[in-house]
Amino acid sequence: MSWTRYCQSVIRYPQFGFSIDLSRMDVDDAFLAEMQPKIAKAFTDIAALEAGKIVNPDEQRMVGHYWLRNASLAPTEELRKAVTEPLAALKDFAEKVHTGQITSPGGGTFKQILLIGIGGSALGPQLVNDAIGHNSKLPIFFFDNTDPAGMDRVISDLKEVGLGRTLVLVISKSGGTAETRNGMLEAKAAYEAAGLQFGPHAVAVTGEGSKLDKYAIDQKFITRFPMEDWVGGRTSVMSTVGLVPAALQGIDIDSFLAGAAAMDVETRKTDAKTNAAMQLALAWYHAGNGKGEKDMVVLPYKDSLVLFSKYLQQLVMESLGKELDLDGKKVNQGIAVYGNKGSTDQHAYVQQLRDGVHNFFTTFIEVRKGRNGEGIEVEPSTSSADYLQGFLRGTRKALYESGRKSVTISIPEVTPFQLGVLIGLFERTVSFYASLVNINAYHQPGVEAGKKAATTFLELLNAVRGKIIADARTAPEVATELDADPEDVYHCLTHLAANGEVQIALGKDPAGDTFSL
């Protein structure tokens, strides 16, 4: 029966070597029949999205990441040019950097890249670099947080080749994202400390007229590339956000785009039975009862895809994790995503997956080709690649025998084309699933709420700074003066103490701790 179910459930696109095995998700015909109205609506919704309908009503925006790999789909000539012209410009720019037509202010060629961004503005390029960026023309480093110690470590690594030979990419749609702004200012300070001008080493990828766009003009950045408001950060890896660094690394970006476009062609078809993205979305819905009741564990059995689970965390969780549906009804939707890689997980959390809390389904990603070139036998007639396949198949079987469901996605090897295939699959699956559960996948009100709360804390922190005097005082005493929450004030004070701005004397509990200059 398992063989019959496998043959009936596997979807194959042999023209580019892709397959997806849904046989271990136990989706039955009765469920599929019940879902037919939602399936039809999902196909209608995504057709409208690709045609340019406003599908992000909160922000009154179109959603155009599917146009990025096929500009002819864009509904107007202006939008088509917004895809094709930056693509041509970034290719030309990368070529001039590689051939020494664009050089550092000191006259030498650029030897490495520092990318400053956060969220999708860093995570997409990090995935691309890890998966297909080995042996690149320009090694790439990242500021993807506002952690000063982390930035110091990266600057130290960059100094081995030299800041003067480092091309900086600053990526922020608005230019107002605090983490990216902080990283840019930290990099600028490092350049100036080395006696170098920052601007002539830098490139901006940002919205036209944004704070960063204006700053780049003022600081005489080398050039600027546009970010469009119809591309969200978590789907921006095939826009200038991902393609500028990839082109500079020497990655075949045309093949990368072609992989996603090839998957788009197949998953745009309205035969649900042979549409890999629709079937995957339905499997997610079935596993979690349409309410995200099961987490998704992503296990790529290839080292170069170790960041894919992290990439999917943002794509899936930021898109689907929503309090309200499109009708304003409170639904608290979402699918939690986590993962590492196989076979590392044989020695990490597979024990719990098989025997512990049954709150997940697994997505295995198989890369059929073990390595380029000849290998060795680690045992008679057995290679390391044989073991990797054995661990994947053995884990899949062991989990299913314990009632744990799984999907297995297979690609022939990790190339720019095949990475594009994978990203294209999951982007459309997210679009379909969002329609099935009636949510807006393209806004992020929770992220914005977190930013507002951080701003409020920073305002309080500066107010607390102004209240510290030589006499020792407790957090409740300072809070009374500021009419603020004592706990918030206490966290401000301990932060200042940890960074040498105030002295702390511990009491019997936090209320008794005192702070002074």
Side-chain angles (χ1 to χ4, degrees), residues 45-86:
D45 287 347
I46 201 164
L49 180 154
E50 289 192 320
K53 179 183 177 182
I54 299 293
V55 294
N56 182 357
D58 289 19
E59 299 170 342
Q60 284 298 297
R61 289 177 178 175
M62 297 178 289
V63 173
H65 54 273
Y66 297 111
W67 309 333
L68 298 170
R69 49 261 199 171
N70 187 349
S72 66
L73 294 172
T76 67
E77 180 63 22
E78 181 182 5
L79 289 169
R80 287 190 283 274
K81 287 182 178 179
V83 176
T84 58
E85 291 179 355

Side-chain angles (χ1 to χ4, degrees), residues 22 129 137 145 157 283 324 341 369 439-440 479:
L22 295 142
N129 174 59
K137 292 183 178 180
N145 198 2
D157 292 341
L324 305 176
K341 65 180 180 181
K369 187 173 182 179
I439 60 167
N440 178 2

Side-chain angles (χ1 to χ4, degrees), residues 16 117 124 152 174 219 221-222 224 263 265 280 298 322 362 368 370 390 406 409 452 462 468 487:
F16 49 88
D152 288 345
S174 68
Q219 294 291 310
F221 278 27
I222 301 169
R224 309 176 329 272
M263 180 57 74
V265 168
L280 187 54
V298 181
K322 302 296 160 65
T362 302
R368 297 190 192 96
S406 67
I409 296 167
K452 290 177 182 177
N462 283 323
I468 301 301
E487 182 183 343

Side-chain angles (χ1 to χ4, degrees), residues 12-34:
R12 299 188 294 178
Y13 300 145
Q15 67 273 33
F16 49 88
F18 168 90
S19 69
I20 181 169
D21 167 19
L22 295 142
S23 62
R24 298 300 189 267
M25 291 299 285
D26 294 341
V27 179
D28 57 32
D29 290 341
F31 169 77
L32 294 176
E34 179 186 334

